Amino acid sequence: MKVRNIAIMGLGTVGGGAYDILVGNHDYIKRTRGVDIRIKKILDRDYAPLEKRGIPREKFAESVEELASDKDIELVVETMGGVEPAKTFITTILKSGKSVVTANKELLAKHWSELEPIAKANNCGLFFEASCVGGVPVIRALGESFQGDKITAVYGIINGTTNYILSKMTSEGCDYATALGEAQALGYAEADPTSDVDGYDAQYKLSILGSLAFHTCLPYTSILREGISKITANDIRNARDLGYIIKLLAIGKRDGNRVEARVHPAFVPAKHPLASVSGAYNAVYLNGDAVGDLMFFGAGAGARPTGSAIVSDVIKALKDGPTYTDFDNSGRPDKDIELVGDFMSGYYICITVDDKAGVLSRISTVLGDNGVSIKAATQEPSSDESATVVFLTHAAREHAVMQSLKTIENLASVRSVDSTVRVLE
Amino acid sequence: MKVRNIAIMGLGTVGGGAYDILVGNHDYIKRTRGVDIRIKKILDRDYAPLEKRGIPREKFAESVEELASDKDIELVVETMGGVEPAKTFITTILKSGKSVVTANKELLAKHWSELEPIAKANNCGLFFEASCVGGVPVIRALGESFQGDKITAVYGIINGTTNYILSKMTSEGCDYATALGEAQALGYAEADPTSDVDGYDAQYKLSILGSLAFHTCLPYTSILREGISKITANDIRNARDLGYIIKLLAIGKRDGNRVEARVHPAFVPAKHPLASVSGAYNAVYLNGDAVGDLMFFGAGAGARPTGSAIVSDVIKALKDGPTYTDFDNSGRPDKDIELVGDFMSGYYICITVDDKAGVLSRISTVLGDNGVSIKAATQEPSSDESATVVFLTHAAREHAVMQSLKTIENLASVRSVDSTVRVLE
């Protein structure tokens, strides 16, 4: 059996996971999948950790050009992360006619439309199962499974860091800052947690998943994005009292040519399967017009789960060769697609008001005037002559709710609109 | 774009579902997947229902030979079910060099090792995503995803009929016969429900899934099989009181060269995700040494979900051509595989005894003598000077528990061992 040589750029957590699986399961992969994979070179900024791993020096590469010009190397894994220099490096590799396997969701969300044509022009492939939802094989499924279905929805919990923080807030009743601190201490959140907690990471992933599911580009910039940093311990308690769990959801829907896409915290009914997806786990729902509802659940991050996705792509690339997206990957949605900003959703609204008669009624009137129908309302007096009013609405138009809140904020007896969280229907 | 002609043998529920999807989504499939599929011929025993569907007569085939000899037809879908004449028909089609897409789990479990070589010898494919778990794409995932993983477990709820019956017994407290009757009235169970309720259907599916997951033949005859007909309303209540839900599980495990495979009812902890899979839904867990736990959830049967799997196979077959199993598909496990009958499991045991002092102690002694450790025991007096003793054991050897029960049955104060149900750890 011919040895197939590959290289890895960036042997951090995910790259290291892929390395360990490729080495540890080498014989098993050779026997069951029929490919004899050898890691010939590794490119990294710092070789000290690689030496500690016992990786021999002759495997250390000096530059991306060394990989590109090595005729033995068929494929390069990119697990550096970030846009640059990953983009330049991947471009160099693709131009040398070698396929690339990447876990880089940010790069893909931002520059997929530039990179895919380079791969195509050089008869090699760009593989990216590991870019979304760790080891959960949603990208392969969108390409290879339920191929005759019109996918009408893709949604779920696709960021492990925020799910860890929200799970912690839910189980321990602590506030956001405390939960974030613990997540950072345990390595579940980065020192600068912006990409996760502000929803960028989920936005990138939904851009990729939505594009594949709906067969049209879904630019990440077209996706409504709200993070979790405004969620309070009070919101978590109110959610629980009303029978919900708060999760950061990514939601993509397609109805005919109307597409909506959004990332935001949401009230998830406690009995919904997504409500029980806790900690660093991820889950993605798909709905197809033939297959109905499907859910995929698993580890959304981590060295070995994400490494598993990388290795699976490496094997597929070496065995089957490249495939390309089956839609116009121009970076823009098809011309006939309408991106819907004024979507329908239920809402949880928490407002602090003066503790006087008639306030609840005045707020209700504003909501009603805007066509927002109330499902439940409670009013609890607080200490300082104020009261907390909590509303749950029926499905209403996003713009109508936002318009209502502007009016409500200016009502005489309203002190502050404290929270607005959408509700998963 | 070239028209790709196919035929369907058996336009019943599943074949009809596939037909509707192929016709209804024809343009969508052509645009997004690049294949222009035309159903040229249909073979069936009775054409009256097809005429009612408005299918023109020129599509009706007279014989399987007509399909085999038609040079236009590239691929044939088999949705007849049962072993014969499906086996003869599929053999004829494969020998004519046309690929076959089948939903036939019984045929595959019994004759896969004969059919695959025929496909191989004639350079065509045998596709069978629809044979297991309806629209849930587990078979494709086992072939295409987490390809570098050693799969150590595949288990779950893979029969919709029994899950419907057990869900009904759980939610309504009714007995088995009542729930079965309702399932039959609603079309969830067949007039002769043997294949489902006695676990044959799950056994066939586990044989296919386990073979793919473990890369070695897992003959259905080597799989322990117990159905649900002995489960009583009392067992369901006892399970609930102890914090469990009873489900029919199919369980396959591989640890090194040791493989265990079994289909039986099981106590599933109420908080386990499988406990909330109710009605006709299915769910499959996989564990890989790299990816960790994954769960796939969706509709396990039905015209459109199973039709979705058929159509996806048709598209894949026409686009990518055949693939074959990557293990020795001889019908026998590899020589170095040890099939483990004496597996470890927790057990629920319900025994009727004389209501006398010392009985619980004597039974406990027998269990202890056989190395079976008790986790919980309760004794409730009944009306006729008898009492009901319920045990939950820690994980114990199957053979030790069975040996204990033989001894316990012969104890003087024991009237009957009423139920033994394994517990999912």
Side-chain angles (χ1 to χ4, degrees):
Chain A
M1 195 181 293
K2 192 182 123 195
V3 171
R4 315 290 293 265
N5 287 290
I6 72 165
I8 300 179
M9 303 192 294
L11 212 75
T13 304
V14 172
Y19 178 91
D20 288 342
I21 299 162
L22 284 165
V23 172
N25 286 3
H26 171 270
D27 295 354
Y28 190 82
I29 292 168
K30 186 175 167 186
R31 181 164 63 78
T32 60
R33 304 295 178 172
V35 281
D36 183 358
I37 302 168
R38 175 181 165 228
I39 302 164
K40 186 177 176 189
K41 291 281 176 189
I42 297 167
L43 180 67
D44 214 324
R45 282 176 302 194
D46 179 7
Y47 289 106
L50 279 68
E51 286 187 323
K52 272 193 198 150
R53 273 178 180 266
I55 298 173
R57 284 189 177 209
E58 68 261 24
K59 288 200 186 288
F60 300 172
E62 295 205 346
S63 67
V64 66
E65 286 75 22
E66 183 186 336
L67 306 182
S69 62
D70 188 326
K71 295 258 179 290
D72 283 350
I73 294 172
E74 288 185 59
L75 176 151
V76 178
V77 171
E78 183 272 310
T79 35
M80 303 155 63
V83 170
E84 283 295 355
K87 188 185 170 208
T88 303
F89 284 15
I90 287 179
T91 303
T92 303
I93 298 296
L94 292 174
K95 284 190 171 167
S96 76
K98 306 183 200 307
S99 287
V100 168
V101 170
T102 179
N104 198 327
K105 70 217 84 165
E106 182 180 0
L107 177 61
L108 216 59
K110 292 182 176 172
H111 302 287
W112 192 7
S113 63
E114 295 159 64
L115 294 172
E116 188 178 26
I118 301 173
K120 238 179 188 167
N122 292 280
N123 294 313
C124 55
L126 181 63
F127 295 82
F128 49 89
E129 174 72 67
S131 68
C132 295
V133 210
V136 186
V138 183
I139 287 180
R140 189 81 83 246
L142 285 167
E144 300 276 341
S145 296
F146 34 86
Q147 294 197 44
D149 273 66
K150 288 181 192 166
I151 301 297
T152 60
V154 49
Y155 65 98
I157 296 166
I158 62 176
N159 178 273
T161 303
T162 50
N163 202 44
Y164 179 87
I165 293 171
L166 291 171
S167 297
K168 197 100 192 158
M169 290 173 73
T170 301
S171 63
E172 300 184 4
C174 62
D175 64 13
Y176 168 74
T178 307
L180 171 61
E182 288 192 31
Q184 286 173 318
L186 290 166
Y188 288 116
E190 304 198 29
D192 176 0
T194 311
S195 176
D196 291 313
V197 301
D198 286 350
Y200 291 98
D201 177 89
Q203 193 188 32
Y204 299 147
K205 290 172 181 167
L206 181 59
S207 163
I208 299 165
L209 294 175
S211 297
L212 294 169
F214 303 143
H215 300 280
T216 188
C217 284
L218 182 66
Y220 78 97
T221 48
S222 71
I223 298 172
L224 179 148
R225 178 184 51 75
E226 261 183 45
I228 64 162
S229 57
K230 287 184 197 161
I231 299 293
T232 65
N234 196 39
D235 294 330
I236 301 266
R237 265 192 307 275
N238 285 338
R240 194 196 50 210
D241 293 347
L242 292 161
Y244 295 86
I245 307 277
I246 299 182
K247 297 287 185 189
L248 181 73
L249 295 189
I251 299 173
K253 293 185 187 175
R254 177 167 185 166
D255 178 12
N257 287 329
R258 294 165 57 86
V259 170
E260 64 176 74
R262 42 199 171 101
V263 168
H264 54 67
F267 273 41
V268 175
K271 289 198 167 179
H272 192 288
L274 285 176
S276 59
V277 175
S278 57
Y281 276 95
N282 280 190
V284 178
Y285 262 85
L286 294 166
N287 181 280
D289 69 338
V291 74
D293 275 329
L294 289 173
M295 186 177 82
F296 296 76
F297 165 91
R304 288 181 67 82
T306 310
S308 162
I310 298 262
V311 172
S312 190
D313 267 356
V314 168
I315 296 169
K316 184 171 177 63
L318 294 176
K319 277 172 59 185
D320 304 337
T323 51
Y324 305 104
T325 51
D326 48 21
F327 55 86
D328 175 21
N329 196 352
S330 64
R332 288 177 302 279
D334 292 347
K335 276 181 194 157
D336 57 353
I337 294 291
E338 180 194 349
L339 289 168
V340 180
D342 194 17
F343 53 82
M344 299 288 288
S345 175
Y347 292 79
Y348 150 86
I349 303 164
C350 181
I351 306 173
T352 302
V353 299
D354 295 337
D355 191 8
K356 289 184 199 166
V359 181
L360 185 67
S361 149
R362 277 197 292 279
I363 298 174
S364 305
T365 303
V366 174
L367 290 168
D369 288 349
N370 283 282
V372 178
S373 160
I374 296 163
K375 193 172 179 178
T378 60
Q379 180 165 353
E380 292 289 338
S382 301
S383 46
D384 56 343
E385 296 185 345
S386 72
T388 302
V389 181
V390 169
F391 289 97
L392 270 189
T393 78
H394 287 287
R397 299 216 162 274
E398 166 88 0
H399 291 178
V401 173
M402 296 304 146
Q403 188 56 49
S404 305
L405 292 176
K406 274 188 199 157
T407 310
I408 289 165
E409 275 177 337
N410 293 320
L411 289 178
S413 313
V414 169
R415 297 193 185 180
S416 56
V417 176
D418 304 316
S419 302
T420 312
V421 183
R422 295 171 191 87
V423 178
L424 180 69
E425 303 291 305
Chain B
M1 196 181 293
K2 192 181 125 194
V3 172
R4 315 290 293 266
N5 287 289
I6 71 165
I8 301 179
M9 303 192 293
L11 211 75
T13 304
V14 172
Y19 178 91
D20 288 342
I21 298 163
L22 284 164
V23 172
N25 286 3
H26 171 271
D27 295 355
Y28 191 82
I29 293 168
K30 186 175 165 185
R31 180 164 63 80
T32 59
R33 304 296 179 172
V35 280
D36 184 358
I37 303 167
R38 174 182 167 229
I39 302 164
K40 187 176 177 191
K41 292 281 177 189
I42 296 167
L43 180 66
D44 214 324
R45 282 175 303 194
D46 178 7
Y47 289 107
L50 280 65
E51 286 187 322
K52 270 192 200 150
R53 272 179 181 267
I55 298 172
R57 284 189 179 209
E58 69 261 23
K59 288 202 186 286
F60 301 171
E62 295 202 346
S63 67
V64 67
E65 287 75 21
E66 183 185 335
L67 306 183
S69 62
D70 188 326
K71 297 256 180 293
D72 284 349
I73 294 172
E74 288 185 59
L75 175 152
V76 178
V77 171
E78 182 271 311
T79 36
M80 305 154 63
V83 171
E84 283 295 356
K87 188 184 170 208
T88 303
F89 284 15
I90 287 179
T91 303
T92 303
I93 298 297
L94 291 174
K95 285 189 172 168
S96 76
K98 303 182 201 309
S99 287
V100 168
V101 171
T102 179
N104 198 325
K105 70 217 84 165
E106 182 181 359
L107 177 60
L108 216 60
K110 292 182 176 172
H111 301 287
W112 191 6
S113 62
E114 295 159 65
L115 294 172
E116 189 177 26
I118 301 173
K120 238 179 188 166
N122 291 281
N123 294 313
C124 55
L126 180 62
F127 296 81
F128 50 89
E129 175 71 69
S131 68
C132 296
V133 211
V136 186
V138 183
I139 288 180
R140 189 81 82 246
L142 285 168
E144 302 276 341
S145 296
F146 33 85
Q147 294 198 46
D149 274 65
K150 289 181 191 167
I151 302 296
T152 60
V154 49
Y155 65 98
I157 296 166
I158 62 176
N159 178 274
T161 304
T162 50
N163 202 44
Y164 180 87
I165 293 171
L166 290 170
S167 298
K168 197 100 191 158
M169 289 174 72
T170 301
S171 62
E172 301 184 4
C174 61
D175 64 13
Y176 169 73
T178 307
L180 171 61
E182 286 191 34
Q184 286 172 319
L186 290 165
Y188 288 117
E190 305 199 29
D192 175 1
T194 311
S195 176
D196 291 312
V197 301
D198 286 350
Y200 291 98
D201 177 87
Q203 193 188 32
Y204 299 147
K205 291 170 180 166
L206 181 58
S207 164
I208 299 165
L209 294 174
S211 298
L212 294 169
F214 304 143
H215 301 281
T216 188
C217 284
L218 183 65
Y220 78 97
T221 48
S222 71
I223 299 172
L224 180 148
R225 177 184 51 75
E226 261 183 44
I228 64 163
S229 57
K230 287 184 195 160
I231 299 292
T232 64
N234 196 40
D235 294 330
I236 300 266
R237 264 193 307 276
N238 285 338
R240 194 196 50 210
D241 293 348
L242 292 161
Y244 296 87
I245 307 276
I246 300 182
K247 296 287 186 189
L248 182 72
L249 295 189
I251 300 174
K253 292 184 187 175
R254 178 168 185 166
D255 178 12
N257 287 329
R258 294 164 58 86
V259 170
E260 64 176 74
R262 41 197 172 103
V263 168
H264 54 66
F267 273 41
V268 175
K271 289 200 167 178
H272 193 289
L274 286 175
S276 59
V277 176
S278 57
Y281 276 94
N282 281 190
V284 177
Y285 262 84
L286 294 166
N287 181 279
D289 69 339
V291 75
D293 275 330
L294 289 173
M295 186 177 82
F296 296 74
F297 165 91
R304 288 181 68 82
T306 311
S308 162
I310 296 263
V311 172
S312 191
D313 267 356
V314 168
I315 296 168
K316 186 172 176 62
L318 294 176
K319 276 172 57 185
D320 303 337
T323 50
Y324 306 105
T325 50
D326 48 22
F327 55 86
D328 175 21
N329 195 352
S330 63
R332 289 177 303 278
D334 293 346
K335 275 180 195 156
D336 58 351
I337 294 291
E338 180 193 350
L339 289 167
V340 180
D342 194 16
F343 52 83
M344 298 288 288
S345 176
Y347 293 78
Y348 150 86
I349 303 165
C350 182
I351 306 173
T352 303
V353 299
D354 295 338
D355 192 8
K356 291 182 196 165
V359 181
L360 184 67
S361 149
R362 276 196 295 278
I363 297 174
S364 304
T365 302
V366 174
L367 289 168
D369 288 350
N370 283 281
V372 179
S373 159
I374 296 163
K375 193 173 179 178
T378 59
Q379 180 165 354
E380 291 290 337
S382 301
S383 46
D384 57 343
E385 296 186 344
S386 73
T388 301
V389 181
V390 168
F391 289 98
L392 269 189
T393 79
H394 287 288
R397 300 216 162 274
E398 166 88 0
H399 291 177
V401 173
M402 294 306 145
Q403 187 56 48
S404 305
L405 293 176
K406 274 188 200 157
T407 310
I408 289 166
E409 273 177 338
N410 293 319
L411 290 178
S413 314
V414 169
R415 297 192 184 180
S416 57
V417 176
D418 304 317
S419 302
T420 312
V421 184
R422 295 170 191 86
V423 178
L424 180 70
E425 304 290 306

